[in-house]
Amino acid sequence: MKIKIALISSEHTNKAQDLSSKLQNAMEAGEMAAVDQLTQELISLADSEYSLSLSEEYWQQLIEKVRATDDDFKSDYIIAKPQLKTIIAASVAESFADVSGVIEQALKADGVILQLPFEGEEADV
């Protein structure tokens, strides 16, 4: 399993959050055709310039480091500004410079981060 991390600009934030809720509902209902469609719609909103494919293990290491500083941290499909600030505050920049770069760009652009698991062969990291 891989994790896609991508910037979604501020102009697409509301649509991304709506699609994220629909995706969560489709996942819970086991509606795989809807899951595939919603996933593609979310990915289409992402900025390919600020996009990474990570190994699940790498992403889990980052989340563990963040949770060491904030027990309540949650990473949903859409990671919004308060969560992005929590990640930065956890001092992950040195260990996870690639992810930190995408997060910092999202904060500068007042955007959000899309975080989606997917089946894939290769990860950037």
Side-chain angles (χ1 to χ4, degrees):
M1 182 76 64
K2 306 297 179 206
I3 306 293
K4 175 143 210 79
I5 304 294
L7 168 67
I8 294 181
S9 65
S10 58
E11 68 231 30
H12 298 301
T13 299
N14 290 337
K15 184 172 184 176
Q17 289 172 331
D18 181 53
L19 290 170
S20 170
S21 295
K22 289 178 181 177
L23 177 59
Q24 184 65 43
N25 292 337
M27 289 287 290
E28 290 171 4
E31 298 170 353
M32 298 316 290
V35 167
D36 291 343
Q37 177 188 349
L38 292 163
T39 298
Q40 288 307 312
E41 287 182 52
L42 274 167
I43 289 172
S44 74
L45 298 177
D47 181 335
S48 60
E49 184 178 346
Y50 296 99
S51 176
L52 298 170
S53 296
L54 311 171
S55 70
E56 187 175 12
E57 180 181 307
Y58 185 80
W59 179 246
Q60 289 303 323
Q61 289 172 1
L62 181 141
I63 296 301
E64 286 174 23
K65 186 164 183 171
V66 173
R67 287 191 180 137
T69 64
D70 182 351
D71 291 338
D72 298 327
F73 180 80
K74 292 182 182 167
S75 61
D76 297 318
Y77 295 129
I78 301 297
I79 304 175
K81 194 172 195 171
Q83 295 165 304
L84 297 174
K85 287 182 176 182
T86 299
I87 294 171
I88 295 297
S91 301
V92 297
E94 188 173 310
S95 301
F96 303 93
D98 49 355
V99 176
S100 294
V102 175
I103 291 170
E104 288 170 2
Q105 185 61 36
L107 288 169
K108 285 179 194 171
D110 201 29
V112 296
I113 296 291
L114 171 65
Q115 183 249 158
L116 277 178
F118 70 97
E119 294 294 327
E121 295 178 18
E122 295 290 322
D124 296 341
V125 178

